Amino acid sequence: QQAAASGAAAPPDYVTAICGQCHAVRDNAVSPNPQAPGFADIANSPGVTRATLVTFLSDAHNYPMQMDVDLVEEDIELVADYMLTLRSDDYVKRPS
């Protein structure tokens, strides 16, 4: 059994179910919706922290129109914590 190169764990089922229809929730994957950034791209963006992710996911008014999800705080923290596992010092954004 091989571990992921980045060392990131598999996404929780909840993250895959809620976010995976549009976003690439695994490292080095392509988003099903080309307009939805992959979670690794988001996690490795400059200035992104757990606090900024939680704030963004907590405020549905920040979301693009297509991203019509309503997350409770526990789920927001689960998504944010998982996304941060995709951080890598040598991350290279995939060409879109």
Side-chain angles (χ1 to χ4, degrees):
Q1 186 177 20
Q2 285 186 313
S6 69
D13 291 342
Y14 175 82
V15 172
T16 302
I18 297 297
C19 311
Q21 293 175 19
C22 295
H23 296 274
V25 296
R26 293 180 177 273
D27 191 18
N28 208 17
V30 176
S31 291
N33 177 343
Q35 294 182 330
F39 276 14
D41 288 345
I42 296 166
N44 287 283
S45 295
V48 169
T49 64
R50 185 178 193 275
T52 61
L53 285 172
V54 167
T55 298
F56 176 81
L57 293 169
S58 298
D59 184 359
H61 298 293
N62 286 332
Y63 298 167
M65 192 79 124
Q66 312 87 306
M67 194 173 149
D68 186 19
V69 293
D70 194 16
L71 303 172
V72 297
E73 188 167 340
E74 184 180 321
D75 296 335
I76 288 167
E77 292 179 6
L78 177 79
V79 172
D81 288 342
Y82 169 71
M83 287 175 78
L84 292 175
T85 69
L86 299 174
R87 281 207 167 148
S88 171
D89 289 339
D90 57 356
Y91 183 75
V92 178
K93 185 175 183 197
R94 294 176 59 93
S96 35

